[in-house]
């Protein structure tokens, strides 16, 4: 059943050699990590059922030099890994279908997933777009044992979103994270505190969270080959060699991790932004301006629908030499108006991109966010009149979809500017996308 | 330069001039007050390039002259002195201040370094009753917002037509307007925005002016007021005031009349429980057949409900407002009864009294 090489019983028998209490007494904490397996590839397979059961590679525009961001398990089984170039991946798995990634679609799924988690506990920390920690310590009283809760979450994810995930349950975030990696895909692993030495310590040191290629080399040179070696190594020496990080690694090797599941990471939005790789490199200011307007409008709409206003506008530009830079400007007042964000972005563009430079990617972001008040404004000047306009526009978009209404100057937008709206219901509309010739549609 | 004058009068007038002295200015001379003794008068001038105040008192002059002295320091010194007469003698760049047996020396800066008031050009001059100016400012000043990036919100609009004076202010959430008729008046047609700070200082000076007339001079970039021996000049807010008339509702679908002092108590009461972070001061108003109810609630804190009898015409309504804004209105009028005109829950509410002239438009909060 398991795809990984490492397997062990879901509830390994109590190991007589393992210490009880002391270093492994976790005060009854239970933390789960839920990892959506090959998330982007799964979502693409759901949105386009013809991709089901096929090897799918998700990444950037396949015509450009980009890498695989996610591969479906069909591709992974042939040796494809995230981070490979398309060329490498296709050599290993020639039948793979390449799909260009769509962040907003994945984010939308991410929100839906987290909404399900939140039905069980409000202590949800989004660790990345496809992983989240759940603190289940006190959930026991409400929904039962952590395994049962996680099984229910797994069922809900599959029934409602058709998504599969791996779950790791442990006494803290570190162990939960490592446990989730053991049974992939679609696994559920609980690691009991007393099992830790047996499971953890025999593993090679690079399996420990936080030990990368370079750290592995350094640790190996100290004679540390397994996590057990690291756990036995004097903490003082590690601290002297690698500072605070050395101390942390030693704790982790011993299965100690006091960090809390922090829901704030998900709750507080610090910035919002959209970037877009242009379908063709351009040095035409008018084209760039139009893309910037389109991006600004998307950012502004997101700000408005989440009830924010932002003060700092950040422009990201990557030119055809792949040189990338960002420039920011702080406005006199916080805004969520598309045209105001655009004006600032265009001004930044004009001031920082010399004529003749070919632009490859543009991004517009807003930070320095504040919550918009619900106090209505008098329509005394053009600014408050615009607020009314956007309110009406948002109303239309909420009712009839994002493409129902837009600025006149964006109607005649450059080809391929429209991205399909999030979600699985749009498969048919997606068909009309001029930039998706690589996706074979079943219907 | 040598003179003596009354200590009390000097302190009082220094405190008036001090309002235009920028105690935090980088330029030392602007932290000073200009003292100019000539023609039997001691003129005291404070000026920070945006606002200037000149006031004068009688004094006995031995030798005429002018100098600038640190304003706050001089007031401190005069405050601790005991005798009625205070004697000033300028020696080189040091001012000797004597009163009874007290002797102080203050380092001064030459009057030549003190910036002159801007020249007034293309002026319109007219007179206004001090009471009109005071009421007009008092009933509108609270609805300005000098912190907004929209410059026109940083002051009160003084809109003059032949026989009508209008004071208008807005902060984007509300608009206050006070109108005075000047029968048989021949006022110049003018539309200027006076900075909130200048008006605040004027308000402090005005109650002393009593029934007097205030001489107002309007220029392209500045305005000045002369009253009771005090001359105040100020730069105007350089912005165009938007067409404010269009936000004043012209029709209403309901109206209720409420006792002002009772309403003040009820609104204050309800606002006590409006403490949530995102909806601070939000109170809901519910008008039904013969009653008006003010309610508020905050999770984990509690809730409040205050009910009053009203005389109602037209439809019922449920609407939410910022209680501070309502209290501002209730505090600005003096009549016993106030009138609240309304249309829909997201449309502006209109507050006024039976005395014509004062209009207060308030935008609701969406709940």
């Amino acid at each position: 059943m398991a795809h990984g090489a490492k397997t062990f019983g879901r509830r390994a028998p109590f190991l007589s050699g393992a210490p009880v209490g002391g270093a492994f007494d976790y005060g009854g904490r239970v933390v789960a990590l839920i990892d959506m397996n090959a998330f982007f590839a799964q979502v693409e397979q759901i949105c386009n059922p013809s991709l089901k059961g096929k090897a799918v590679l998700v990444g950037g525009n396949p015509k450009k030099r980009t890498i695989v961001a996610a591969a479906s398990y069909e591709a992974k089984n042939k040796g494809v890994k995230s981070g490979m170039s398309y060329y490498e991946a296709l050599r290993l798995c020639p039948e793979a279908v390449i799909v260009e990634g769509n962040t907003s679609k994945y984010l939308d799924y991410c929100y839906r997933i987290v909404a399900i988690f939140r039905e069980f506990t409000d202590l949800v920390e989004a660790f990345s777009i496809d992983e989240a920690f759940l603190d289940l310590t006190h959930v026991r009283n409400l929904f039962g044992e952590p395994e049962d809760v996680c099984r229910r979450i797994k069922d809900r994810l599959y029934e409602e979103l058709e998504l599969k995930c791996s779950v790791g349950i442990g006494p803290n975030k570190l162990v939960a994270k490592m446990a989730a990696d053991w049974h992939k895909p679609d696994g559920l692993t609980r690691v009991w505190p007393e099992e830790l030495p047996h499971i953890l310590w025999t593993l090679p040191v690079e399996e420990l969270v936080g030990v990368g290629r370079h750290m592995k080399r350094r640790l190996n040179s100290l004679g540390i080959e397994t996590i057990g070696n690291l756990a036995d190594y004097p903490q003082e020496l590690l601290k002297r060699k690698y500072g605070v990080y050395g101390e942390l690694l030693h704790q982790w090797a011993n299965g100690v991790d006091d960090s809390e599941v922090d829901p704030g990471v998900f709750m507080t939005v610090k910035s919002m932004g959209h970037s877009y790789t242009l379908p063709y490199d351009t040095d035409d200011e008018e084209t760039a301006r139009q893309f910037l307007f389109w991006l600004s409008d998307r950012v502004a709409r997101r700000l408005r629908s989440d009830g924010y206003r932002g003060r700092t506008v950040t422009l990201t530009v990557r030119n055809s030499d792949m040189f990338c830079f960002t420039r920011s400007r702080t406005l006199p007042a916080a805004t969520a108006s598309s045209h105001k964000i655009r004006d600032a972005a265009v001004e930044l563009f004009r001031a920082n991109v010399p004529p003749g430079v070919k632009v490859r990617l543009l991004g517009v972001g807003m930070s320095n966010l504040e919550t918009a008040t619900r106090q209505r404004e008098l329509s005394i000047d053009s600014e408050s009149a615009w607020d009314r306009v956007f309110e009406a526009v948002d109303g239309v978009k909420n009712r009839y979809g994002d493409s129902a209404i837009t600025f006149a100057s964006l109607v005649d937008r450059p080809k391929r500017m429209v991205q399909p709206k999030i979600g699985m219901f749009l498969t048919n509309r997606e068909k009309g996308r001029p930039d998706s010739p690589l996706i074979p549609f079943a219907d | 330069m040598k003179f003596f004058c009354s200590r009390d009068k000097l302190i009082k007038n220094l405190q008036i001039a001090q309002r235009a002295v920028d105690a935090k200015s980088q330029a030392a001379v602007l932290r000073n007050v200009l003292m100019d003794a000539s023609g039997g008068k001691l003129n005291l001038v404070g000026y920070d390039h945006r606002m200037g105040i000149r006031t004068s008192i009688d004094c006995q002059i031995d030798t005429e002259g002018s100098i600038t002295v640190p304003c706050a320091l001089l007031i401190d010194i005069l405050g601790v002195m005991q005798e009625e007469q205070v004697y000033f003698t300028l020696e080189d760049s040091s001012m000797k201040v004597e009163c009874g047996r007290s002797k102080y020396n203050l380092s001064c800066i030459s009057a030549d370094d003190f910036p002159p008031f801007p020249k007034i050009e293309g002026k319109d001059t007219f007179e206004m009753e001090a009471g009109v100016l005071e009421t007009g400012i008092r009933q509108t000043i609270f609805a300005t917002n000098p912190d907004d990036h929209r410059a026109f919100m940083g002051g009160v609009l003084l809109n003059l037509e032949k026989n009508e004076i209008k004071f208008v202010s807005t902060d984007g959430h509300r608009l206050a307007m006070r109108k005075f008729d000047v029968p048989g008046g021949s006022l110049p047609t003018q539309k200027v925005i006076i900075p909130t700070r200048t008006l605040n200082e004027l308000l402090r000076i005005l109650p002393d002016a009593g029934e007097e007339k205030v001489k107002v001079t309007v220029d392209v970039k500045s305005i000045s007021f002369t009253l009771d021996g005090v001359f105040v000049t100020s730069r105007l807010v350089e912005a165009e005031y938007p067409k404010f008339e269009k936000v004043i509702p012209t029709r209403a679908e309901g109206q209720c009349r409420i006792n002002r002092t009772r309403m003040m108590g009820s609104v204050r009461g309800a606002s006590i429980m409006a403490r949530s972070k995102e909806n601070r001061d939000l109170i809901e108003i519910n008008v039904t057949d013969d009653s008006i109810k003010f309610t508020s609630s905050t999770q984990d804190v509690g809730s409040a409900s205050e009910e009053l009898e009203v005389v109602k015409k037209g439809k019922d309504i449920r609407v939410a407002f910022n209680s501070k804004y309502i209290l501002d209105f209730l505090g600005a009028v003096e009549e016993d009864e106030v009138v609240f005109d309304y249309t829909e829950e997201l449309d502006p509410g209109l507050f006024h009294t039976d005395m014509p002239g004062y209009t207060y438009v308030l935008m609701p909060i969406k709940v």
Side-chain angles (χ1 to χ4, degrees):
Chain A
M1 129 208 142
H3 290 259
K6 302 153 227 118
T7 49
F8 54 90
R10 196 166 278 171
R11 275 202 195 197
F14 180 73
L15 298 151
S16 54
V20 177
F24 296 123
D25 183 1
Y26 295 98
R29 263 182 90 193
V30 185
V31 177
L33 179 94
I34 303 184
D35 175 10
M36 310 314 297
N37 308 129
F39 181 51
F40 300 166
Q42 266 204 81
V43 172
E44 293 300 342
Q45 285 176 325
I46 294 163
C47 292
N48 180 355
S50 72
L51 293 176
K52 279 197 178 154
K54 288 185 185 162
V56 177
L57 307 177
V58 182
N61 185 337
K63 286 176 197 154
K64 307 276 161 91
R65 280 192 308 169
T66 46
I67 54 159
V68 177
S72 71
Y73 271 84
E74 294 81 0
K76 281 190 176 178
N77 289 341
K78 295 219 166 180
V80 177
K81 285 184 179 140
S82 308
M84 277 184 174
S85 70
Y86 279 141
Y87 177 76
E88 266 179 288
L90 287 173
R91 216 177 44 187
L92 292 166
C93 181
E95 72 276 20
V97 182
I98 294 176
V99 181
E100 197 179 331
N102 177 348
T103 318
S104 55
K105 188 151 66 179
Y106 311 140
L107 260 180
D108 178 64
Y109 265 88
C110 178
Y111 289 133
R112 297 195 209 180
I113 293 164
V114 172
I116 293 180
F117 296 164
R118 287 245 173 86
E119 289 181 31
F120 294 89
T121 174
D122 55 346
L123 290 174
V124 177
E125 174 182 339
F127 190 57
S128 69
I129 192 164
D130 60 349
E131 291 168 296
F133 286 111
L134 278 69
D135 190 326
L136 300 177
T137 313
H138 302 290
V139 172
R140 187 179 282 135
N141 304 329
L142 284 170
F143 299 106
E145 285 304 308
E147 286 101 323
D148 299 332
V149 174
C150 290
R151 222 164 273 132
R152 277 172 70 180
I153 293 176
K154 272 175 79 78
D155 290 346
R156 291 275 308 271
L157 287 173
Y158 191 72
E159 279 159 20
E160 289 172 30
L161 303 173
E162 290 183 62
L163 281 167
K164 286 181 182 168
C165 62
S166 306
V167 180
I169 305 169
N172 56 41
K173 283 160 78 174
L174 170 89
V175 177
K177 167 91 179 125
M178 295 189 73
D181 282 341
W182 269 305
H183 289 172
K184 270 188 167 180
D186 206 18
L188 192 151
T189 312
R190 178 161 191 185
V191 175
W192 296 84
E194 55 272 21
E195 292 172 346
L196 270 174
H198 176 73
I199 299 161
L200 206 60
W201 290 1
T202 51
L203 293 175
V205 72
E206 63 268 27
E207 294 280 323
L208 185 69
V209 176
V211 179
R213 218 153 25 104
H214 295 284
M215 195 42 115
K216 172 192 174 307
R217 256 209 320 265
R218 288 181 190 174
L219 291 173
N220 287 165
S221 71
L222 294 175
I224 299 172
E225 299 286 340
T226 63
I227 296 178
N229 295 154
L230 183 62
D232 285 340
Y233 206 83
Q235 188 177 7
E236 262 312 297
L237 286 178
L238 284 170
K239 194 182 174 185
R240 214 173 301 159
K241 273 193 177 319
Y242 307 118
V244 186
Y245 198 65
E247 207 176 355
L248 264 179
L249 281 179
H250 186 266
Q251 285 184 11
W252 290 344
N254 279 290
V256 177
D257 173 23
D258 297 329
S259 59
E260 299 281 326
V261 172
D262 179 9
V265 176
F266 200 80
M267 309 272 233
T268 50
V269 182
K270 287 188 181 139
S271 65
M272 286 185 182
H274 281 290
S275 64
Y276 187 67
T277 303
L278 274 45
Y280 45 86
D281 293 2
T282 181
D283 57 358
D284 176 38
E285 194 186 290
E286 187 48 39
T287 310
R289 196 178 162 279
Q290 223 170 358
F291 275 111
L292 287 173
F293 194 9
W294 176 65
L295 287 165
S296 303
D297 188 39
R298 293 183 61 188
V299 174
R301 165 124 165 92
R302 241 175 90 195
L303 283 171
R304 293 194 299 265
S305 64
D306 292 358
Y308 288 102
R309 281 163 180 262
R311 267 195 81 178
T312 304
V313 181
T314 303
L315 169 78
T316 307
V317 177
R318 182 180 290 156
N319 65 20
S320 49
D321 303 332
M322 300 299 276
F323 173 72
C324 188
F325 70 88
T326 62
R327 293 287 181 277
S328 300
R329 227 198 103 193
T330 298
L331 302 171
T335 187
S337 296
S338 311
H339 61 296
K340 288 207 154 186
I341 300 173
R342 173 206 60 191
D343 289 349
V346 168
E347 209 171 289
L348 282 166
F349 185 87
R350 285 196 181 131
N352 293 293
V353 181
V357 169
K358 290 212 167 210
V359 175
R360 176 189 156 89
L361 172 141
L362 286 171
V364 175
M366 285 298 273
S367 52
N368 218 337
L369 304 185
E370 50 189 64
T371 339
T373 58
R374 286 184 293 173
Q375 166 72 52
R376 312 271 299 170
E377 297 271 332
L378 280 169
S379 34
I380 189 144
D381 59 345
S382 63
E383 196 164 308
S384 35
W386 270 110
D387 285 347
R388 290 281 168 96
V389 171
F390 288 123
E391 203 177 284
V393 167
D394 289 345
V396 172
K397 285 186 173 186
N398 292 343
R399 182 91 171 77
Y400 300 104
D402 271 6
S403 55
I405 185 167
T406 190
F407 288 93
S409 60
L410 287 178
V411 171
D412 189 25
R413 62 205 139 200
K415 262 191 173 179
R416 307 187 5 180
M417 214 148 122
V418 193
Q419 289 203 342
K421 221 196 136 199
I422 301 160
M424 45 188 149
F425 311 109
L426 288 147
T427 332
N428 287 330
R429 209 191 299 173
E430 226 175 11
K431 212 171 151 187
R433 269 176 84 189
D435 61 339
S436 52
L438 287 166
I439 310 173
F441 283 88
D443 49 342
Chain B
M1 186 183 182
K2 194 173 175 185
F3 63 92
F4 71 91
C5 61
S6 147
R7 191 174 60 91
D8 283 349
K9 274 191 189 160
L10 181 58
I11 291 180
K12 196 180 151 215
N13 282 274
L14 271 174
Q15 281 167 339
I16 292 173
Q18 190 188 22
R19 288 174 191 147
V21 175
D22 180 4
K24 288 180 188 148
S25 173
Q26 292 292 314
V29 73
L30 292 183
R31 298 196 293 262
N32 286 6
V33 61
L34 173 73
M35 299 177 87
D36 172 57
S38 59
K41 292 265 184 197
L42 172 66
N43 291 308
L44 303 163
V45 182
Y47 186 48
D48 65 0
H49 287 298
R50 283 166 293 160
M51 181 171 74
I53 297 178
R54 185 174 61 225
T55 164
S56 59
I57 53 169
D58 295 330
C59 71
Q60 292 290 326
I61 300 172
D62 208 25
T63 325
E64 294 189 340
S66 55
I67 191 73
T68 78
V69 290
C71 188
L73 211 56
L74 182 57
I75 292 174
D76 284 351
I77 292 171
L78 294 170
V80 296
M81 290 173 161
Q82 305 288 330
E83 304 294 323
E84 173 48 31
Q85 299 290 349
V86 55
Y87 296 79
F88 289 84
T89 317
L90 183 67
E91 288 169 348
D92 297 329
S93 63
S94 171
M95 176 72 92
K96 199 158 82 182
V97 188
E98 289 170 285
C99 181
R101 289 186 168 193
S102 310
K103 283 196 182 84
Y104 289 78
N105 269 300
L106 277 173
S107 287
C108 303
I109 299 173
S110 163
D112 298 339
D113 295 340
F114 200 80
F117 284 171
K119 266 201 188 129
I120 292 172
E121 288 160 5
K123 58 194 172 185
D124 272 320
T125 304
F126 57 93
E127 284 196 329
M128 192 190 280
E129 271 176 45
V132 167
L133 185 59
E134 198 261 339
T135 311
I137 297 172
R138 194 174 47 77
Q139 291 189 326
T140 53
I141 192 164
F142 54 83
T144 63
N145 181 7
D147 295 331
D148 199 280
H149 68 287
R150 288 165 283 186
F152 72 89
M153 292 183 181
V156 172
L157 171 76
L158 180 65
N159 193 68
L160 301 169
E161 271 162 46
K162 204 163 175 255
N163 43 19
E164 187 186 82
I165 303 171
K166 268 187 205 149
F167 294 86
V168 183
S169 68
T170 181
D171 60 4
H173 301 154
R174 56 200 170 145
L175 178 127
M177 182 180 80
R178 176 66 208 234
K179 196 163 77 175
F180 294 96
D181 290 326
V182 186
S186 53
L187 294 168
T189 305
Q190 275 285 3
K191 218 177 169 183
V192 292
I193 309 169
I194 311 165
T196 306
R197 179 182 161 226
T198 305
L199 296 173
N200 263 320
E201 301 311 341
L202 265 182
L203 269 188
R204 295 190 200 207
I205 301 165
L206 276 166
D208 296 343
E211 295 289 296
E212 279 184 57
K213 293 264 185 192
V214 181
K215 195 176 116 190
V216 185
T217 306
V218 182
D219 180 18
V220 190
K221 287 188 172 174
S222 69
I223 189 164
S224 52
F225 303 87
T226 315
L227 61 149
D228 197 25
V230 183
F231 175 80
V232 179
T233 183
S234 164
R235 283 174 64 159
L236 291 167
V237 175
E238 285 182 50
E240 194 170 335
Y241 213 82
K243 290 193 173 65
F244 60 88
E245 295 90 348
K246 65 180 182 189
V247 304
I248 302 170
T250 46
R251 66 181 188 97
E253 288 174 16
Q255 182 187 70
C256 57
R257 302 177 155 270
I258 316 144
N259 179 288
R260 185 175 70 92
T261 35
R262 286 207 183 145
M263 180 166 170
M264 219 171 196
S266 297
V267 173
R268 274 210 191 108
S271 70
I272 293 172
M273 301 308 268
R275 317 183 71 93
S276 75
K277 208 172 130 201
E278 54 279 8
N279 281 324
R280 214 168 176 77
D281 301 316
L282 179 148
I283 59 164
E284 265 193 59
I285 294 182
N286 197 357
V287 180
T288 47
D289 283 344
D290 51 1
S291 82
I292 183 166
K293 208 191 234 175
F294 305 91
T295 54
S296 72
S297 67
T298 306
Q299 206 174 4
D300 302 330
V301 178
S303 63
S305 170
E306 290 269 357
E307 198 167 340
L308 289 178
E309 278 180 14
V310 286
V311 181
K312 191 201 80 170
K313 275 197 297 201
K315 65 185 243 182
D316 294 352
I317 194 162
R318 206 185 164 88
V319 60
F321 287 113
N322 182 323
S323 57
K324 277 223 169 83
Y325 294 165
I326 299 180
L327 289 171
D328 279 341
F329 163 76
L330 296 172
V333 293
E334 281 156 0
E335 288 73 27
D336 289 340
E337 194 176 61
V338 293
V339 186
F340 167 39
D341 289 345
Y342 49 83
T343 311
E344 296 286 344
E345 59 170 29
L346 293 181
D347 289 333
L350 181 69
F351 292 83
H352 57 102
T353 66
D354 283 335
M355 279 281 287
Y358 189 53
T359 308
Y360 188 69
V361 184
L362 178 54
M363 289 307 287
I365 299 172
K366 193 176 178 180
V367 283

